[in-house]
Structure formats: structure tokens, C-alpha cells
Amino acid sequence: MTAMNQEPTRKIGDVILDLRHISLSFGGVKALTDISFDVREHEIRAIIGPNGAGKSSMLNVINGVYRPQEGEIIYRGEHLRDMNTYAAAKSGIARTFQNIALFKGMSVLDNIMTGRNLQIKTNFLLQALYLGPARKEEIAHRVKVEEVIDFLEIQHIRKTPVGRLPYGLQKRVELGRALAAEPQILLLDEPMAGMNVEEKQDMCRFILDVNAQFGTTIVLIEHDMGVVMDISDRVVVLDYGKKIGDGTPDAVRSNQDVINAYLGVAH
Amino acid sequence: MLYREAGQFKSSYEADGQIFPLRQDRLGIALLLVLAFVAIPQFASAYYFSAILIPFLIFSLAALGLNILTGYAGQLSLGSAAFMAVGAFSAYNFILRIPGIPLLLAFVLGGLSAALVGIAFGLPSLRIRGFYLAASTLATQFFVVWALTKIQWFTNYSSSGVITAQKMEMFGYEFSSPASKYLLVLAIVSVMALLAKNMVRSNVGRSWMAVRDMDVAAEVIGIRLMRTKLLAFAVSSFYCGVAGALYAFAYLGTVEPEAYSLDLSFRILFMVIIGGLGSILGSFLGAAFIVLLPVFLNVFAHALSLPTSVASNLELMVFGALIIFFLIVEPHGLARLWQIAKEKLRLWPFPH
Amino acid sequence: MNLNFFFEVLIGGLLSGVMYALVALGFVLIYKASGVFNFAQGAMVFFAALTCVSLVNHWGFPLWVAILTTIATMAVLGVLIERIVLRPLVNQPEISLFMATIGLSFFIEGMAQLMWGAEVQRLDLGIEDVPMESLLTNFNIIVSKFDVVAACICAILVTCLALFFSRTKIGRALRAVADDHQAALAVGIPLQHIWGIVWAVAGFVAMVAGLLWGSRNGVQFSLTFVALKALPVLILGGFTSVPGAIIGGLIIGSTEKLAEVYLGPFVGGGIEGWFPYVLALLFLLVRPEGLFGEKIIRRI
């Protein structure tokens, strides 16, 4: 890749994101109840749990799509009552979605370029004239996006409209769009859903590379236990909107509550 | 065989990002420009200028405006004629009340006035979507035209409500002949088309398309919905405003509210649908289609000695049928058909 | 302020609102059942009215025969529309379907005039447009008998439709189709038949509306613009609610007339043309899904 710091920064740092007593409800339905956990810089944090546990809602709270009724978010030392999507994006949080949220009318290249929009400074008038500053900027960002494309090995489809791509490639493009924003925290919502073994291996490789080479903190929802145990540093377990486990993969694996939740023991 | 792109490799992102990456396309557009600017004025008759070319160019500009709003930014609008009216009346008033104001500046100011109105009436788009938005743009259409009719100051207190547009003059030269009007309109439309093309392939265009395709996701990646939508309304209305001013000054010769009715809004929408939503070329193709169709139908009806009422009803039916046809067969319009034709040309004379 | 006059205007407005509601009903029917916003409803109103009137005036049919023939014609039209326009567009986004109905409206308008000519035609339904005796003598309020009869017809129609939707098997099937086409198909509901039925019923409603409007104002091209007036009605009442269409119609009809009479003189008149739309717009800002509409939830 480019002139990035080649030393893999795998040293896990301090707490970068701290969620305290988050409660979220929709009308009468409580999606999240008093959830607290933290995320350390440069780590890979997995959120797991049975379906309907509130994992996606948790991610939505982190990047401001949902506002929790109670609780606070401390991001990089700043106490926030809640987060809004623009602030989240601007402060370096990027994400992918469970059901792909790509812009179906645009090509792969354009989709990933939209990920750069916060870094683009010229206004529309300059862009209309396409002289000097606008042209230079567009090319510079194109360079960056091509790096992402190389990294994800999707050069051959860069001009294809994303609507035509198979599911696995669309997920990769969505990851590319998130990466193009050069995020500090990457929220991935089931990035490997619906993929076969090879695609999953590719995706794991990308996630690990992103974490190793750019030091990006990763918060990941995933159902494939093998993947979770393999690549994550710490795991949070949710069930019915409550936290029932928090620790290293091994600790969580042997936690009786977690086992009960997955096996469906009445509780 | 002639349309091969083999051997035309791009060695820089700049080259890859050109508007016309293929050499053949560049040749084509150069020829077209020469034809438009040099050849046609020499050979075309006054009829062609006044009845076909000038309205085609003006409608293309309006269609460009609507395409930006509806095709690129996904905000359905049935009020484009209202913005054209604002542009026309503003330009008229600026020329009337500021003596010696340059013609182009008056047009630009007309466009800017339309843009301001566009922003005001675009505010609802922040809360309303889809058909509801289309219905609320009807409010724009009816209210604006009513206001321009009722508020006497706009029409300079004229008793008949129909005012003659001032002559178009630049640096002492008066654009009175059809050929000169044509060239002026052509120049303005070409420049604005280029600006539009640049915008839609830059960040602002991508933001618009993102809002169109999935606005929730666009928000999440940091695109500010309000700014993006209002900018779309502003730019679109600017284009429609300038088109409206040209409509009054270079085509009709009068500035009257009735010319900017709901019917015109629909025609522009049809141009955009048939030409291709989200395509600059499509705006031109759609405009050409809608301008030429009545001419053909008239000729056809004449040949069969049908009365004019039959011809105009046929026109309605053919319009309607064609809209449906295009939506079924090629929802991306003539622009897409053109693209497909080019793809086939690449391979010709080989089948695949 | 003359209270009697106010009531006259109000009642007049309410009654014309009932007519708007009738047109809006056609929209709601089709939207409920096929998720399509049928912009061609106005053209259908025009076509139905024109067909009926022409059959009576030019071909000398007795009125009831003309009505029956028109019903049959509208049913056929409905089936054709479903087959030629809707079926090919089944999986397209809503906007495409909406635009197709715009094209359809132009087509039907042209066809109607091609078939029957473009002159204004008078339609006599046998109901006189005279003030109701009882109201005039007792309360000194002038309300047209015609308007009252029209309102009654509307009320009957609406009640029948409401019952149809909630009580009958077909009505249930229609509601299922409106909710989710694919699921309805999966349960074995014959989608095409249902749509054919719906469009035929909408055509019938269009005919009733067309006849009532037409006999009041004469059957002419401007009838198609009545459909545009139905839009604010739908915005207020929601696109999927039958009672909503009624209430929306009443509100729009009355406020339109009241605004014209009481606010109009201050600004030079002609408010009727845009007031309902601006009202609807303001309303949308507060409640984007209308009074009775369903709240749209988007998941991500």
C-alpha cells in the first residue's frame, strides 16, 4: 500500500469509546436496557448474541442513527448525551449495514468516492467550473479511493453499477466506502452474512489488515462463532437487550449465561 | 469497427475522468459544435430557428434543471414552470428598473431570483418525500403563477397583463434576427450544460445521487441532507429561471404568466422521463423529442388531411403512450438507448 | 358578519368537499389495492362522464342505459389498464408507476376527446339546482338541492365501499394485496384479477364523480383538473384511508370556499387555485403522513 506507517500497530490502547447505562426503547418495546461497555483503541471488539438481542440497535446508537432515552456516550473523552449521525461521521466513525446500504444507481468507484465527501473541501461552484482546485482535489481523492480499491481487490469492477454486483462483492464495496473515510472506528454489522467460506476468509483478511495496518478500531457484529473467536480481542454478549457477558473470547465461551442464551434455555 | 476503444489506454486519473474519454466521442462532439455554431446559422431558415432550434435549446436547459432536481437528487417536482416564470419576470424587472444593466447579468439575476424561490419552496423536501413532495410542488406552481399575475408591480401595472419583453442587446448589438437569437441561446445553453456536467460528476453530484438512492445511508456517511437538497433546488431553479427568461426574451417575445402553466411543467417532466432521468444528454434528447413530436404529428395529420383537433388529441395520446412505453421498455430513457447503441457500435460489424 | 351567509358558504364548501372526496376515493381505492398513485383518476372521471353524456346526447340512449354502458366500459378500461400498463411495471419503483399513470392520464384525455369531441356538453340528471325549500323558509339559508342529493349519493357509496373492504372476502384480499404483493401471491391471491376488479371499481367511482360534477358544471376538459384538487384531499386524509378521504374532502372543500370569500378580497381573489395546496403543504410539514395515513417507518 502507500506510504502509511508500515509497522502494524496492534498495541491495544486506552479506552476510546465508553458506553454507559444505555437504554433504548421504541414505543413500548425496550431494545436496549442499561448497557455499559467500553472499546479500546486499536482493538477488535465483537458484539454477539441471538437474533433480536439489540446488536444492530447498539451500533445505531454509537453512530447516532438512534438516540437512547438514557445513558451517555463518552467518545475520546468527550461526554455526549447522544450522538448525531453527522457528528459521528465527522469524528471518524464509519460503518457498514446488515442489509447493504449502497447507492444502487452509482458505480463502485462513485460509491467509494462518496465515502470521501467529508474530506472534500471545494464548493459546488468551483466544482462546476472544474478548474484548478476542484480538479486537483478530485484527482487526489481518486488516488486515495484507488488505494482502497486495490486493498479490497475490486479493480475489475470499479466502473460497474453496484446494483449489478453479487451480494458478496456488494458487501466488499460497502466496506470500501467505509474505509475511504479513513475512520478511527469502524462499525461492521454482520459483514460476513450470506458469504461462502472463501468470501469469509477474504473478509477476515481485510478486517485484520485494516486493523493491523491503519490501527483502526473495529466494532463488529457477527454470528459466525469461529470468526468471532479467531479475530476478536474482546467480546460483548447481548440477549434481549441486556448485557450478559463481556470479556475475552475464551472467557465468554465458557460463560454459562451465554451458553444458555444460545441454547435457548428459558430464563 | 470504427468505434473501437482498443488502444486508447488512460495513463492518468485525469485522463480517465474526462467527459469524453473516447477519441471518437471527442471528434463527434467537436463536429457537433462546429455544426451548431457555424454550419447551421449559414443554412437554416428563420422557421427552423424560431420554431424548432430555439425552443429545443430553451427546453433542454429547463429539462437540465429538472433533471438535476428529479433525476440526480431524486426530488420529484411538478413546479418547474413556476421557476421559469420567476426567472422571466425577474429578468424583465431588472432590465426595466436598472437602466443599462448588461443582458447576461439580468439573466443571471433572473436565475438567482428563481433559485431563491426554489430554496424557499424546497424547504418542505426536508420533511416530505415522494408523491407528497410532488403534490407540494403543485402548491409552488399554482401559488407563484397566481402571485405573478396578481401583484401588479411584477407586470409593471400593465392593464392587459401581457408585457412585451425588452429587446436583447449586448455592447450595442441587438439580437433581433432569428439566427442571432439562436446563437445567443446556443452559447448560454452550451456553457450551462458544461457546468452541469461538471457538477454531476463531482462531489456535489455524487451527494445528490446518494440522497436520491438512500438518504439515510447518505446521512450516515456525513452528507448533510438539508444542504444537499436545498442546493439541488437552488441549482435546478437557477437553470429553470434562466430558461424561463430565455423563453420570454428569445422565443415568445412577451412575459406572461399563462405561458408558464402546469401544462409546461408536465412537458418538462416528460422530457426528462423520456430523455432519461439522471442524464445530461438525456435532457437534450428528451427536449428534442418533445419539440419535434408535435411537428411530426402535424405533418402526419396534414398528409392524411385530418383536422387539427384530431391532431392535437392524437398528440396527447401519443405522448401518454410513449411515456408508458418508455417506462416499460427502457425506464432510463433515450439516453440509455443511446448508450446501448454505442455498445453495439463498438462491436459492429461483429455480432458479439 | 352575516351568520347565515357564513353557513351558506360553509355548507356549500362542505358539499363541494363531498365531491372532492368522491374523486379522492378513487385514488384511495387504487392506492390501497395496488400501491399505485393513479394520476389518471381525473382523466378517468372525465372519460366516464364524457362517455355517458355523449351516449345520451349523441346516440340518444336513455340515461340509465348510458350509465350501465359506461360502467361496463370503465370496467373494460380498468382491465386493459391493468394488463397493458401495470403488469409490465410490477416490480418497478413507485415513482415509475406514478409517472406511468401521468402518461396514462394524457392518453385517456386525448382518447376521450378523440372519441367524443371537445365541446362542453350539458348533462341533466333530473335533479334541480334549486335551493332547498325547508332550509330556505326555516333558516333563511340557501343550499342547493342538488348538492344535498350529491352528498347523499356520496355517503351511500362510501358506506358501501367501507363495508366492502372490511367485510367481504374480496375486500380482505384487496387489503392483503395493498400490504404486500409478494406475500399475497404466496397465499394464492390472484393478483391480476384483484387489480382488474379494483380498477373497475375505481372506474365506477370515477363515473359517479364525473356525472355529479358534470351535471353541475357541464362536462368539459377542465374536469380533469378536479383530480388535481383531490391531491390536497389525499394529503390531508392520507392515501390509504377511506374515511380520511371523506374528512379530507370536507376540510378542503370548506376551507377553500371560506378562504375565497373571506380572505380573497384582501389579496385580489383567485385564492381557490392555490389555497388547498398550500394548506396541504403546511399540514404535511406537521404530519408528513396525513391525518389517517400510516406512519412510514424506514429500517436501516
Side-chain angles (χ1 to χ4, degrees):
Chain A
M1 303 254 339
T2 53
M4 280 264 134
N5 202 340
Q6 280 300 329
E7 287 163 10
T9 25
R10 268 302 264 146
K11 263 181 60 177
I12 295 180
D14 297 320
V15 170
I16 185 179
L17 179 67
D18 197 355
L19 299 153
R20 296 196 185 157
H21 306 293
I22 302 279
S23 288
L24 176 72
S25 42
F26 301 109
V29 180
K30 278 206 124 197
L32 299 169
T33 312
D34 195 29
I35 307 253
S36 304
F37 67 93
D38 61 43
V39 181
R40 288 177 176 276
E41 202 166 4
H42 309 311
E43 78 170 333
I44 297 183
R45 193 82 148 102
I47 303 181
I48 66 175
N51 276 323
K55 311 187 291 294
S56 288
S57 303
M58 194 69 244
L59 281 194
N60 282 336
V61 164
I62 296 177
N63 90 315
V65 178
Y66 294 153
R67 310 274 173 91
Q69 276 73 19
E70 285 161 34
E72 60 175 348
I73 304 172
I74 304 173
Y75 179 55
R76 294 191 164 282
E78 255 191 73
H79 282 248
L80 299 166
R81 174 60 182 80
D82 46 30
M83 181 82 81
N84 72 62
T85 48
Y86 183 71
K90 210 137 170 72
S91 50
I93 301 180
R95 72 171 283 184
T96 65
F97 295 89
Q98 196 173 358
N99 306 312
I100 302 177
L102 285 174
F103 306 121
K104 295 278 160 75
M106 293 199 261
S107 67
V108 167
L109 182 60
D110 280 335
N111 263 277
I112 304 183
M113 283 290 268
T114 62
R116 298 294 297 171
N117 85 89
L118 281 174
Q119 272 84 344
I120 294 185
K121 302 293 177 208
T122 52
N123 63 33
F124 79 99
L125 281 170
L126 284 173
Q127 288 168 17
L129 293 169
Y130 206 65
L131 300 168
R135 171 175 287 189
K136 280 207 195 82
E137 207 185 35
E138 180 82 4
I139 308 246
H141 289 293
R142 172 81 189 263
V143 170
K144 281 265 173 252
V145 164
E146 289 287 341
E147 284 171 20
V148 172
I149 290 179
D150 284 341
F151 176 72
L152 292 172
E153 295 160 14
I154 43 178
Q155 300 91 328
H156 56 296
I157 50 167
R158 63 156 77 77
K159 295 282 175 80
T160 319
V162 294
R164 301 222 199 120
L165 294 174
Y167 185 77
L169 281 177
Q170 285 190 20
K171 276 212 159 299
R172 220 189 274 192
V173 173
E174 215 194 359
L175 178 61
R177 185 180 66 185
L179 289 178
E182 295 180 67
Q184 315 239 307
I185 301 186
L186 191 54
L187 309 174
L188 301 173
D189 198 341
E190 299 198 34
M192 298 181 223
M195 288 190 178
N196 62 32
V197 172
E198 277 155 27
E199 290 169 328
K200 279 194 190 179
Q201 285 176 346
D202 284 334
M203 205 51 132
C204 279
R205 181 165 49 92
F206 294 138
I207 295 176
L208 288 171
D209 279 346
V210 165
N211 178 256
Q213 290 188 347
F214 308 122
T216 315
T217 311
I218 304 210
V219 180
L220 156 78
I221 295 178
E222 188 44 58
H223 276 299
D224 185 331
M225 281 307 125
V227 166
V228 170
M229 297 299 154
D230 260 346
I231 69 174
S232 40
D233 296 311
R234 285 193 300 156
V235 180
V236 175
V237 190
L238 298 181
D239 187 27
Y240 285 109
K242 300 201 184 67
K243 187 172 88 165
I244 62 174
D246 186 354
T248 62
D250 288 325
V252 156
R253 195 210 311 256
S254 40
N255 180 330
Q256 191 57 43
D257 289 329
V258 174
I259 297 175
N260 287 348
Y262 272 96
L263 289 179
V265 171
H267 55 290
Chain B
M1 220 165 65
L2 294 167
Y3 203 60
R4 267 181 324 186
E5 49 188 299
Q8 299 188 40
F9 297 113
K10 305 285 177 283
S11 52
S12 74
Y13 294 129
E14 181 147 2
D16 192 43
Q18 289 168 324
I19 295 179
F20 296 107
L22 294 185
R23 200 185 316 122
Q24 290 92 334
D25 281 337
R26 287 200 288 276
L27 265 177
I29 199 74
L31 270 175
L32 184 66
L33 286 174
V34 164
L35 192 72
F37 276 98
V38 176
I40 288 187
Q42 299 285 343
F43 297 113
S45 70
Y47 168 75
Y48 275 108
F49 285 131
S50 319
I52 298 188
L53 290 169
I54 292 181
F56 157 67
L57 287 170
I58 294 177
F59 287 141
S60 302
L61 191 59
L64 262 180
L66 184 61
N67 221 334
I68 288 177
L69 184 60
T70 300
Y72 285 98
Q75 312 297 307
L76 185 56
S77 163
L78 295 174
S80 2
F83 298 124
M84 288 176 77
V86 173
F89 275 84
S90 309
Y92 169 76
N93 276 290
F94 278 113
I95 295 182
L96 182 71
R97 299 166 199 281
I98 306 180
I101 186 174
L103 181 72
L104 290 181
L105 182 60
F107 285 158
V108 167
L109 288 173
L112 286 175
S113 318
L116 283 173
V117 174
I119 294 179
F121 280 94
L123 284 168
S125 74
L126 301 173
R127 264 196 53 103
I128 315 174
R129 321 170 76 239
F131 313 136
Y132 293 108
L133 184 63
S136 66
T137 56
L138 282 179
T140 314
Q141 171 68 42
F142 291 134
F143 179 78
V144 166
V145 174
W146 174 86
L148 288 173
T149 321
K150 283 295 170 194
I151 302 178
Q152 300 282 353
W153 187 82
F154 288 126
T155 49
N156 203 23
Y157 303 97
S158 109
S159 47
S160 66
V162 174
I163 32 186
T164 328
Q166 299 96 334
K167 296 197 255 280
M168 300 193 289
E169 283 176 5
M170 249 168 77
F171 305 119
Y173 173 76
E174 186 187 323
F175 292 92
S176 53
S177 72
S180 63
K181 286 189 196 168
Y182 159 76
L183 282 173
L184 177 66
V185 173
L186 179 65
I188 295 179
V189 171
S190 311
V191 169
M192 288 184 79
L194 180 62
L195 293 178
K197 183 70 181 172
N198 282 334
M199 275 193 281
V200 301
R201 66 194 179 115
S202 301
N203 190 49
V204 61
R206 286 191 293 267
S207 305
W208 285 334
M209 290 193 274
V211 167
R212 172 194 70 193
D213 287 343
M214 199 182 282
D215 55 358
V216 189
E219 248 188 323
V220 165
I221 62 173
I223 294 177
R224 311 200 80 152
L225 286 188
M226 179 167 88
R227 250 177 244 197
T228 309
K229 284 187 186 180
L230 289 181
L231 185 61
F233 270 98
V235 173
S236 163
S237 310
F238 179 82
Y239 273 68
C240 288
V242 174
L246 288 173
Y247 194 52
F249 282 80
Y251 181 60
L252 292 175
T254 59
V255 187
E256 48 181 310
E258 286 76 38
Y260 303 96
S261 65
L262 183 65
D263 191 63
L264 181 59
S265 286
F266 272 121
R267 289 185 88 193
I268 301 178
L269 182 63
F270 289 160
M271 289 178 210
V272 166
I273 297 176
I274 291 185
L277 284 164
S279 156
I280 302 287
L281 174 65
S283 315
F284 285 93
L285 293 176
F289 193 84
I290 301 278
V291 165
L292 290 176
L293 186 64
V295 176
F296 280 144
L297 282 177
N298 265 328
V299 169
F300 179 71
H302 225 80
L304 295 181
S305 305
L306 296 170
T308 44
S309 61
V310 171
S312 57
N313 285 325
L314 261 184
E315 185 181 318
L316 279 176
M317 287 176 73
V318 171
F319 261 17
L322 277 171
I323 301 252
I324 299 176
F325 174 76
F326 269 101
L327 285 168
I328 295 177
V329 166
E330 184 45 80
H332 299 285
L334 289 170
R336 182 92 184 94
L337 286 177
W338 172 253
Q339 251 190 333
I340 296 177
K342 287 209 297 187
E343 305 268 313
K344 295 261 149 84
L345 255 187
R346 272 192 171 101
L347 299 170
W348 182 83
F350 304 106
H352 55 260
Chain C
M1 194 165 80
N2 186 348
L3 205 58
N4 277 353
F5 180 60
F6 171 75
F7 275 117
E8 271 171 28
V9 177
L10 178 63
I11 295 179
L14 284 173
L15 290 171
S16 77
V18 162
M19 306 269 255
Y20 287 144
L22 203 50
V23 182
L25 256 185
F27 280 106
V28 169
L29 278 177
I30 295 186
Y31 194 78
K32 252 174 114 72
S34 50
V36 175
F37 182 79
N38 177 26
F39 199 82
Q41 191 69 19
M44 283 163 66
V45 167
F46 176 56
F47 179 72
L50 196 54
T51 307
C52 194
V53 151
S54 304
L55 286 175
V56 169
N57 289 352
H58 291 219
W59 288 16
F61 283 22
L63 185 62
W64 66 272
V65 174
I67 290 184
L68 284 176
T69 320
T70 311
I71 295 180
T73 318
M74 294 309 287
V76 169
L77 183 67
V79 169
L80 281 175
I81 290 177
E82 188 279 316
R83 187 158 292 205
I84 300 179
V85 178
L86 290 190
R87 223 181 272 192
L89 288 175
V90 142
N91 280 321
Q92 299 289 345
E94 280 188 337
I95 289 287
S96 297
L97 285 163
F98 173 62
M99 298 205 268
T101 59
I102 298 184
L104 189 61
S105 85
F106 272 63
F107 184 83
I108 295 180
E109 279 163 27
M111 181 172 74
Q113 286 185 153
L114 201 64
M115 279 168 67
W116 303 115
E119 332 91 54
V120 179
Q121 302 201 40
R122 296 235 49 229
L123 173 64
D124 189 2
L125 286 180
I127 314 164
E128 294 146 22
D129 194 8
V130 292
M132 286 200 69
E133 288 297 322
S134 46
L135 282 178
L136 189 58
T137 43
N138 293 344
F139 298 102
N140 203 21
I141 293 178
I142 302 179
V143 170
S144 159
K145 196 188 283 187
F146 177 85
D147 287 341
V148 175
V149 172
C152 291
I153 295 180
C154 270
I156 298 175
L157 192 57
V158 167
T159 320
C160 290
L161 282 171
L163 286 173
F164 175 68
F165 267 110
S166 47
R167 299 289 165 87
T168 65
K169 199 168 92 166
I170 295 189
R172 197 166 46 231
L174 284 173
R175 283 184 289 141
V177 167
D179 234 5
D180 190 336
H181 295 175
Q182 301 239 350
L185 272 174
V187 197
I189 295 179
L191 219 54
Q192 276 84 16
H193 291 175
I194 297 286
W195 283 346
I197 294 176
V198 168
W199 281 76
V201 173
F204 173 71
V205 171
M207 185 194 74
V208 174
L211 289 177
L212 286 175
W213 272 107
S215 87
R216 177 172 239 248
N217 298 332
V219 178
Q220 53 186 311
F221 186 65
S222 59
L223 215 49
T224 50
F225 292 112
V226 169
L228 283 178
K229 271 291 169 62
L231 275 178
V233 172
L234 289 165
I235 289 174
L236 277 180
F239 279 74
T240 49
S241 158
V242 171
I246 307 303
I247 301 196
L250 291 175
I251 297 179
I252 291 288
S254 46
T255 51
E256 178 187 69
K257 285 286 181 308
L258 286 171
E260 180 65 44
V261 169
Y262 288 108
L263 294 178
F266 294 119
V267 283
I271 289 191
E272 272 181 301
W274 53 263
F275 189 79
Y277 296 96
V278 174
L279 187 67
L281 172 58
L282 293 171
F283 191 82
L284 275 178
L285 292 175
V286 173
R287 260 194 86 98
E289 59 286 332
L291 267 174
F292 290 82
E294 297 148 7
K295 223 170 162 62
I296 310 163
I297 305 173
R298 289 177 293 154
R299 301 206 73 200
I300 182 145

